[in-house]
Amino acid sequence: MTANIIDGTKLANQIRSEIADGVQELKAHHNITPGLAVILVGNDPASAVYVRNKQRAATEAGMIAEDIKLPAETTRDELSATITSLANNDDIHGMLVQMPLPEHLDPVFAIDKLPASKDVDGLTSTNSGLLVGGRPRFIPATPAGIQQMLIRSGYDPNGKHVVVCGRSDIVGKPISLLLIQKQLGANATVTICHSRTHDIETITRQADILIAAIGRPRFINSDMVKKGAIVIDVGVNRIEAPERKSGYRLVGDVDFDGVSEKAKAITPVPGGVGPMTIAMLLKNTLEAAKSYVAQQ
Ligand code: GUN
């Protein structure tokens, strides 16, 4: 069997076009242009690429994209002042602090400073609490993108056994909470595995839908996958590739070549979950701008 490739770029383009229509409508009827601010602290090269991609996508959807680059030695107070200034700026409806932050800055401190109404990453206690309570407002973009990918490519998680590998606050936990909800496009039975799980392959082999978000290159091999499973690869790992000009290439958490012989469908890296994440961030930003309009 050779797996169907779930084309994240194509699905994301559909969503981005729907969002662009929503942006035009907001402009035409309310004279409001959604504004997204992304704060990047330091010089992490992968983060710089992510931020550039987010900014480009926001601009293409007709939004205002503000990119705030702060030096690596930015202090806690300086970061705090930047967040507060954007929180008070009426032209900015969605904002996020790109992670990881430099070592000396506490990510929890930064997240706690974000106003929940502009927290388009869905990481504040308010927004993660609303997801736990089954009435989500801003769902973190990667989990939201995975759910849309499953629905739009015809692999509804309803009643399926989903195994999530990874327990991060940004992917593992929220995707699990999202897919157990009593709602269309969810209703799954979810098992969460992580670095301390014993005999992980016995569990992953039970998955109808396997979500790999561990951050270890090609960790999931074909022996860990049930025949006919749907495999979603969230990993973005840089590995050395001397033959390339950049000196590296990106691989996922799944051994794509081996697993695609066994799975029914699989997401590629790049071109899978990544573009969906950006599309859902824009969706959250549009929703934030709509909420702003509704409160005027
Ligand atoms: N770093 C990697 N992914 C993300 C994300 O979705 N949001 C933020 N803020 N930082 C990230």
Side-chain angles (χ1 to χ4, degrees):
M1 180 194 293
T2 301
N4 296 324
I5 310 293
I6 303 176
D7 186 343
T9 306
K10 190 168 142 201
L11 293 171
N13 284 341
Q14 279 170 14
I15 296 171
R16 283 167 63 173
S17 146
E18 292 161 18
I19 293 165
D21 292 346
V23 170
Q24 289 315 317
E25 218 174 285
L26 209 59
K27 281 186 187 174
H29 294 132
H30 301 281
N31 200 24
I32 290 286
T33 302
L36 171 67
V38 178
I39 303 173
L40 173 64
V41 189
N43 309 306
D44 180 55
S47 292
V49 174
Y50 294 147
V51 167
R52 205 178 321 128
N53 290 342
K54 288 173 187 179
Q55 189 187 30
R56 192 179 302 150
T59 310
E60 279 175 18
M63 299 181 178
I64 293 169
E66 201 165 320
D67 206 356
I68 298 95
K69 290 202 173 74
L70 300 176
E73 48 301 340
T74 298
T75 64
R76 195 176 122 124
D77 287 350
E78 286 164 344
L79 176 59
S80 175
T82 302
I83 294 173
T84 304
S85 146
L86 293 166
N88 294 329
N89 180 345
D90 281 347
D91 294 333
I92 297 298
H93 308 100
M95 57 189 283
L96 63 91
V97 180
Q98 186 68 25
M99 302 295 173
L101 286 169
E103 285 277 309
H104 68 282
L105 293 170
D106 177 8
V108 173
F109 169 81
I111 290 165
D112 283 350
K113 279 269 157 201
L114 298 169
S117 60
K118 296 190 180 187
D119 165 33
V120 284
D121 253 345
L123 296 177
T124 55
S125 316
T126 303
N127 287 321
S128 54
L130 287 169
L131 176 58
V132 172
R135 47 195 187 104
R137 181 168 51 182
F138 296 124
I139 302 165
T142 300
I146 294 169
Q147 186 186 36
Q148 280 302 310
M149 243 178 158
L150 290 169
I151 296 169
R152 289 179 187 237
S153 51
Y155 305 114
D156 192 327
N158 186 10
K160 296 289 192 305
H161 185 193
V162 175
V163 175
V164 177
C165 293
R167 55 178 159 179
S168 67
D169 292 336
I170 201 151
V171 183
K173 280 184 208 162
I175 187 64
S176 305
L177 290 163
L178 192 56
L179 295 184
I180 57 166
Q181 290 193 97
K182 200 170 185 177
Q183 262 182 24
L184 279 177
N187 284 317
T189 302
V190 175
T191 304
I192 307 174
C193 302
H194 48 76
S195 53
R196 304 296 160 91
T197 300
H198 287 177
D199 199 10
I200 192 168
E201 55 274 17
T202 302
I203 300 169
T204 57
R205 275 199 290 266
Q206 294 171 33
D208 302 313
I209 298 173
L210 180 60
I211 300 178
I214 322 138
R216 290 172 62 178
R218 301 188 182 116
F219 177 81
I220 303 286
N221 61 41
S222 62
D223 289 342
M224 299 171 75
V225 177
K226 178 167 80 174
K227 196 164 181 287
I230 311 303
V231 180
I232 307 290
D233 190 351
V234 186
V236 185
N237 307 289
R238 282 185 179 209
I239 61 162
E240 279 184 24
E243 75 282 4
R244 295 220 171 173
K245 212 169 92 188
S246 62
Y248 71 87
R249 69 188 195 93
L250 298 179
V251 297
D253 289 352
V254 175
D255 170 26
F256 183 87
D257 293 342
V259 171
S260 55
E261 291 300 313
K262 211 163 172 191
K264 180 172 182 190
I266 187 167
T267 65
V269 176
V273 174
M276 292 298 288
T277 296
I278 292 185
M280 299 316 285
L281 173 68
L282 300 183
K283 177 134 198 307
N284 280 347
T285 305
L286 175 60
E287 293 306 322
K290 284 184 182 170
S291 299
Y292 171 80
V293 166
Q295 277 161 22
Q296 296 310 298

